[in-house]
């Protein structure tokens, strides 16, 4: 109907190159263990986090061929090379376990539950950056991209803002804008803690309101043109008949017409 207002679709988010995860290098890396006298012997036990939880008996040789960071840590002349225990303070046991499991198997395990998987992917990606495991970092980024939903969009948006992840930031902003009701129903608004992010979301909302007002105004102009079209056609009639003369002729006809018999 003429009263229906058509709102244009929101502008697309910034485009980024797709995340491409390279093939596994596990077999090729394990082959490096043959004939390399510089690789360390034995196993290490890691004391992890502020709670000093233990992750025991991990092959130093495997860690070295899978991570540049561990290759340096257990390199010749380093104190950790012959140490039985190594302290790791910058993470928790579950995340460190996921890192070691990946190095040993090339498999990513983020646990269960949407919220837990997103949180684990965030902290594991940071750990992958620190320990120089680029393929794991890409797998975590891919998992984060797939985990954006009503309950996770706001926490991931704040995390992306903190870490400077432009790709994830743009994706979460668009998701919140397109699924505002679902995000609010899931408690996403109550999860906001970063004032900068809150201001950004408010700015997005105001931009959408302004865009909607502009679209409605443009539609109103179009509707007025549609309503005015019959009058304009009469005024431009090749017979020179105006709308007022047509109305007058109709009135005369009604006066002269004979009464109907029933």
């Amino acid at each position: 109907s003429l009263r229906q207002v058509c709102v244009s679709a929101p502008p697309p988010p910034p485009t980024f190159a797709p995340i491409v995860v390279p093939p596994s290098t596990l077999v090729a890396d394990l082959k490096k263990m043959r004939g390399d006298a510089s690789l360390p012997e034995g196993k290490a036990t890691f004391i992890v986090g502020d709670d000093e939880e233990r992750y025991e008996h991990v092959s130093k040789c495997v860690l070295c061929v899978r991570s540049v960071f561990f290759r340096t840590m257990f390199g010749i002349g380093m104190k950790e090379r012959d140490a039985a225990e190594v302290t790791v303070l910058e993470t928790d046991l579950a995340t460190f376990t996921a890192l070691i499991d990946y190095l040993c198997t090339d498999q990513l395990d983020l646990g269960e539950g949407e919220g837990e998987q997103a949180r684990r992917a965030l902290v594991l990606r940071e750990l992958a950056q620190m320990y120089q495991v680029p393929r794991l970092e890409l797998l975590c980024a891919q998992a984060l991209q797939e985990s954006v939903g009503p309950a996770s969009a706001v926490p991931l948006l704040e995390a992306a803002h903190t870490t400077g992840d432009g790709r994830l930031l743009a994706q979460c902003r668009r998701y919140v804008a397109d699924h505002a009701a679902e995000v609010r129903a899931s408690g996403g608004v109550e999860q906001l803690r970063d004032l900068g992010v809150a201001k950004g979301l408010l700015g997005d909302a105001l931009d959408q309101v302004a865009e909607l007002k502009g679209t409605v105004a443009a539609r109103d102009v179009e509707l007025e043109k549609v309503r005015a079209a019959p009058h304009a056609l009469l005024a431009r009639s090749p017979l020179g008949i105006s709308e007022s003369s047509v109305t007058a002729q109709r009135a005369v006809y009604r006066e002269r017409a004979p009464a109907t018999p029933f």
Side-chain angles (χ1 to χ4, degrees):
S1 65
L2 292 178
R3 296 179 59 84
Q4 183 177 4
V5 177
C6 300
V7 180
S8 61
T15 56
F16 295 91
I19 296 175
V20 179
V21 179
S24 169
T25 60
L26 179 62
V27 174
D29 290 339
L30 293 179
K31 287 181 179 179
K32 298 175 184 177
M33 297 168 58
R34 301 177 302 183
D36 189 345
S38 67
L39 290 172
E41 298 290 341
K43 300 178 180 180
T45 292
F46 294 91
I47 312 301
V48 183
D50 295 335
D51 295 333
E52 298 185 348
E53 297 179 278
R54 300 174 67 85
Y55 191 95
E56 299 183 321
H57 311 311
V58 184
S59 169
K60 294 180 181 180
C61 188
V62 171
L63 296 181
C64 286
V65 298
R66 295 285 286 152
S67 163
V68 175
F69 185 95
F70 281 120
R71 181 69 184 244
T72 302
M73 174 185 286
F74 296 122
I76 296 175
M78 303 297 291
K79 64 178 182 178
E80 290 88 356
R81 183 177 179 86
D82 299 316
E85 294 184 350
V86 177
T87 300
V88 180
L89 297 177
E90 62 275 357
T91 189
D92 58 86
L93 181 61
T95 305
F96 188 75
T97 299
L99 170 68
I100 299 300
D101 286 351
Y102 172 80
L103 292 178
C104 293
T105 66
D106 251 3
Q107 299 297 312
L108 176 61
D109 183 6
L110 295 175
E112 299 180 358
E114 177 183 333
E116 173 59 22
Q117 288 181 342
R119 189 200 70 81
R120 180 67 54 74
L122 277 171
V123 294
L124 184 57
R125 184 177 63 170
E126 293 181 6
L127 204 61
Q129 291 174 341
M130 180 182 303
Y131 284 82
Q132 301 177 50
V133 190
R135 184 173 182 272
L136 176 58
E137 186 179 344
L138 289 172
L139 284 170
C140 290
Q142 192 175 68
L144 286 170
Q145 181 174 287
E146 296 170 355
S147 68
V148 176
S152 62
V154 171
L156 289 177
L157 176 60
E158 291 188 316
H161 175 69
T162 301
T163 59
D165 186 339
R167 177 197 299 270
L168 186 60
L169 182 69
Q171 181 183 356
C172 291
R173 285 179 65 180
R174 174 51 51 187
Y175 188 91
V176 171
D178 292 345
H179 304 84
E182 295 95 322
V183 172
R184 184 173 184 179
S186 72
V189 176
E190 288 74 15
Q191 297 179 67
L192 270 172
R193 290 177 173 79
D194 190 306
L195 181 59
V197 172
K199 289 181 178 179
L201 290 177
L202 177 59
D204 289 345
L206 293 176
D207 288 344
Q208 284 196 316
V209 170
E211 181 183 353
L212 177 60
K213 286 183 177 180
T215 303
V216 171
R219 294 305 180 198
D220 287 344
V221 172
E222 292 299 321
L223 291 177
E224 289 301 322
K225 291 180 180 179
V226 171
R227 293 191 182 101
H231 306 286
L233 288 174
L234 286 172
R236 294 195 301 268
S237 171
L239 300 177
I241 303 174
S242 66
E243 183 182 8
S244 58
S245 64
V246 171
T247 303
Q249 289 295 330
R250 285 176 179 170
V252 171
Y253 174 79
R254 291 193 190 99
E255 292 176 357
R256 295 178 178 177
T260 57
F262 46 83

